[in-house]
Amino acid sequence: MSTPTPLYKRIEVWVLLLLSTGATLWVLSDGPATEDGAPEAIEAAETTDTPTSSPALTIHRCVLERDYGNARLDIELRYRNASPRPLVLQPPDVRLLSSDGKEVPPYILPTEPPPQIPARTAQSVRLRYWLEAAHLQGALRLEIRGSTAEVKNATAMDLQTLPNHQPKTWQGSIP
C-alpha cells in the first residue's frame, strides 16, 4: 500500500493556484468600461474640493430610453455637497418633480446602491428615474437639498415618437 502524495507536491494544485491568482489580479486591475471600451467617467466619478463660485447643482446630460409605454431617464449631473455630512442621493433629499408637483419614482436596481457624495466635496453622479408617458407632458425639475435645476421644459413630448430601446441624449436639460 502506497502513501498518498502530500498536497503541496501535486503539480495540478500549483497550476490551479497560479491560474486563480492571475485571474483574480486581472479582474481587480480591470476598471469599468463603456461599450466602446473607454473608461466610464460617470460611475467612477471624481471628487474635488468644493469651489464656492460654481452653482451647487449642474445638469450635464440627460438620456431618455423608451421602454414601450414607459421610459428610463438618466440624469448626469454635478452636485456640490456643502454639508458636513455625506449625501446619499435618494428621497427625501433628492426628488424629481413633475409640473403638477408629483414626485417621479426613482429607477432602482438592487445591485446598484444609490450614489453618495462625501461631505464638503463636489462630484459627478448619475441618477435614474422611471417615467410614464404623462410625466413627459409638462416640465420636470430636480431638487437636491434646496437646489433646483430644470430637467425638462414645459413643452409636451410624445413618448410614442421615440424609437423603442434606443437612448436619446441631450446635453443639459431636455428641450
Side-chain angles (χ1 to χ4, degrees), residues 5 13 17 24 28 45 53 56 61 68 104 108 116 122 134 146 148 174:
T5 307
V13 171
L17 279 173
T24 302
L28 292 176
S53 61
R61 181 168 54 174
Y68 300 101
V104 178
I108 298 173
Q116 187 173 15
T148 305
I174 300 172

Side-chain angles (χ1 to χ4, degrees), residues 15-88:
V15 169
L16 287 174
L17 279 173
L18 287 174
L19 287 175
S20 63
T21 303
T24 302
L25 290 174
W26 179 72
V27 167
L28 292 176
S29 67
D30 190 28
T34 58
E35 290 176 6
D36 61 356
E40 189 169 357
I42 210 67
E43 288 296 318
E46 71 279 357
T47 307
T48 60
D49 292 334
T50 57
T52 55
S53 61
S54 67
L57 175 60
T58 306
I59 295 181
H60 294 300
R61 181 168 54 174
C62 292
V63 180
L64 188 66
E65 184 175 340
R66 179 178 160 219
D67 188 11
Y68 300 101
N70 298 314
R72 188 186 76 214
L73 174 65
D74 292 349
I75 304 170
E76 296 175 8
L77 60 100
R78 183 165 189 84
Y79 183 73
R80 182 173 29 91
N81 182 12
S83 170
R85 64 180 176 95
L87 170 64
V88 178

Side-chain angles (χ1 to χ4, degrees), residues 24 26 33 71 86 121 128 130 139 149:
T24 302
W26 179 72
T121 59
R128 289 183 161 175
W130 188 248

